[in-house]
Amino acid sequence: MTDPRRQIPRTDAVLDDPRFTPLVGRMGRDRVKTAVNAAQQRARDGEIGPSDVYDEALRTLPDDGPRPVINATGVLLHTNLGRAPLSEAALDAVRIAGGTTDVEFDLATGHRGRRGRAALAALGRAVPAAEAVHVVNNNAAALVLVATALAREREIVISRGELVEIGDGFRLPELLASTGARLREVGTTNRTSVADYATAIGPQTGFVLKIHPSNYRIEGFAGTPSVSDLAGLEVPLVADIGSGLLAPEPLLPDEPDAATWLRAGADLVTASGDKLLGGPQCGLLLGRAGLVELVRRHPLARALRVDKLTLAALEATLVHAANPTRDALRADPAELRRRAGALAVRLAAAGVKAEAVDTGAAVGGGGAPCVELPSAAVAVDAALAGPLRRGTPAVVGRVEGGRCLLDLRAVPPGQDGDLLGAVVATCS
Ligand SMILES: *Cc1c(COP(=O)(O)O)cnc(C)c1O
């Protein structure tokens, strides 16, 4: 009888396994090797079988550090999966900015330069309707900064139909009130008129806030004034567009964009950087020079400032139009169907029961809640959902009608091979 210890896989064999090569790339060979060696030792001690070495090493490894996930949920901007994936250009910029860089230094003169001026200039160029721009950590931070700088111990006039919970229990009214601003609610849940705003405005008013209901719709007997309707009121009009579209997106006609709302009369627009803009997490502030300067100069601004990596990624996102979010939004349904068909054929050839099906994908991430984007998925056994999630790379699909749908709209075409490999590995 052969000694079972002789069947323990050799370190090199494990490290060359397709499940391990990406980990070696990401964590470095030494880290992965240490985990493999520990698993081999457990096998030598008889605690696990020789063939368990692979799984044991994987189990101990990936827990530290973010793990790559293939987003097969059919939700383009999945907040739990980090919202917008960065473009290659943005990732390259982050790599450079990660070292010492000229984030706040003018190499031409040798003097201090305005922090992130290249990113700010790119944002200004992208939205010429904005006299000035500023960037903070996220849209919530933008709102906190504006509320603090313009309405602390004063009032923010807001419609009862726009008191939004953005997710995970965070509510914008509570966020705004935490700054010391008072909310002056006007109108009703379903209807608010310009007169409701006008009556509430007085010496105590800091600004009127219009929030785009990005994750819900009030339908039926409903209506709120447009930005242009509110532009005539004699106080600043701050508008939170949510999604971060800088210009109109023909595929999402109901999503507001910064340029349109500024032209319609908003004095200040706030938005997220990691939603439909397809960039890093950040909060954009665009609008009148005087107001932007006021918030930029507020002491709290220093606590909400973005780091150099974010600035680098934002600039690259603005300069290079293509990014994974935009590609996913504009993907041709016929091409998605073709990819799903090709994957199903290759899975069947590998002995995995799979079928290409038509599906509906969503924008997600607090954007366009009523829009369904035609998409296609590979349907596999629902029992695979868990193992796929725990695999390497992790694959997150959605279980629907007793099957696990791997929706391709949010999967960049370049990841089809990885997706195929992950499913086959899960089944073998
Ligand atoms: C998503 C969203 C927010 C929060 O943005 P973060 O960048 O996640 O802080 C605020 N307002 C609206 C309307 C949103 O859609």
Side-chain angles (χ1 to χ4, degrees), residues 242-265:
S243 75
L245 284 181
L246 300 181
E249 167 55 61
L251 286 170
L252 304 172
D254 293 333
E255 277 301 302
D257 64 275
T260 304
W261 275 22
L262 285 170
R263 278 199 300 269

Side-chain angles (χ1 to χ4, degrees), residues 117-133 246 286 318:
R117 63 204 173 285
L120 295 170
L123 183 56
R125 280 197 305 276
V127 188
E131 291 171 11
V133 299
L246 300 181
L286 312 100
L318 290 164

Side-chain angles (χ1 to χ4, degrees), residues 61 90 175 181 213 233 250 330 370 385 404 408:
L61 260 178
L175 182 87
L233 304 170
R330 299 192 177 177
C370 301
C404 176
L408 296 182

Side-chain angles (χ1 to χ4, degrees), residues 205-413:
T205 309
F207 60 90
V208 166
L209 177 59
K210 182 163 182 63
I211 299 184
H212 172 59
S214 54
N215 52 7
Y216 66 102
R217 283 286 175 276
I218 299 173
E219 286 182 2
F221 184 56
T224 51
S226 66
V227 169
S228 50
D229 295 335
L230 294 174
L233 304 170
E234 274 157 16
V235 291
L237 174 60
V238 179
D240 171 10
I241 60 168
S243 75
L245 284 181
L246 300 181
E249 167 55 61
L251 286 170
L252 304 172
D254 293 333
E255 277 301 302
D257 64 275
T260 304
W261 275 22
L262 285 170
R263 278 199 300 269
D267 297 299
L268 208 51
V269 163
T270 76
S272 298
D274 57 351
K275 292 184 178 174
L276 287 169
L277 182 62
Q281 179 192 302
C282 60
L284 313 178
L285 284 147
L286 312 100
R288 296 213 179 284
L291 291 176
V292 171
E293 194 57 15
L294 210 72
V295 300
R296 195 172 81 79
R297 287 277 163 213
H298 191 281
L300 183 63
R302 179 61 172 80
L304 305 176
R305 84 173 191 185
V306 278
D307 79 324
K308 58 182 179 173
L309 305 182
T310 304
L311 288 165
L314 176 63
E315 184 194 354
T317 303
L318 290 164
V319 169
H320 304 267
N323 62 60
T325 301
R326 196 182 165 107
D327 292 348
L329 184 66
R330 299 192 177 177
D332 175 9
E335 175 58 13
L336 294 173
R337 226 171 277 134
R338 190 200 61 72
R339 286 168 56 197
L343 276 171
V345 166
R346 290 169 73 187
L347 283 170
V352 181
K353 213 174 134 224
E355 187 194 355
V357 294
D358 287 353
T359 56
V363 172
C370 301
V371 172
E372 190 179 271
L373 303 163
S375 185
V378 197
V380 295
D381 192 332
L384 293 181
L388 279 170
R389 233 175 27 242
R390 291 185 288 271
T392 303
V395 176
V396 182
R398 69 176 190 274
V399 175
E400 204 175 278
R403 297 193 287 188
C404 176
L405 299 183
L406 304 174
D407 194 305
L408 296 182
R409 189 172 271 273
V411 179

Side-chain angles (χ1 to χ4, degrees), residues 88-237:
E88 286 304 323
L91 290 171
D92 288 346
V94 165
R95 173 156 285 283
I96 291 168
T100 36
T101 182
D102 63 341
V103 65
E104 216 173 301
F105 186 74
D106 186 337
L107 291 168
T109 62
H111 297 300
R112 184 180 179 284
R114 181 167 176 194
R115 185 178 176 84
R117 63 204 173 285
L120 295 170
L123 183 56
R125 280 197 305 276
V127 188
E131 291 171 11
V133 299
H134 183 58
V135 182
V136 290
N137 273 322
N138 55 18
N139 193 7
L143 289 168
V144 162
L145 186 57
V146 175
T148 307
L150 305 183
R152 194 177 135 82
E153 284 161 21
R154 303 181 72 202
E155 290 180 353
I156 300 172
V157 181
I158 184 170
S159 162
R160 292 198 169 89
E162 298 176 3
L163 301 171
V164 183
E165 173 169 318
I166 47 182
D168 196 25
F170 286 104
R171 297 172 166 176
L172 293 185
E174 292 171 358
L175 182 87
L176 295 165
S178 75
T179 65
R182 290 186 299 278
L183 292 194
R184 179 74 183 265
E185 299 176 12
V186 297
T188 60
T189 306
N190 55 328
R191 285 176 78 84
T192 306
S193 66
V194 180
D196 291 327
Y197 287 92
T199 316
I201 289 172
Q204 282 300 305
T205 309
F207 60 90
V208 166
L209 177 59
K210 182 163 182 63
I211 299 184
H212 172 59
S214 54
N215 52 7
Y216 66 102
R217 283 286 175 276
I218 299 173
E219 286 182 2
F221 184 56
T224 51
S226 66
V227 169
S228 50
D229 295 335
L230 294 174
L233 304 170
E234 274 157 16
V235 291
L237 174 60

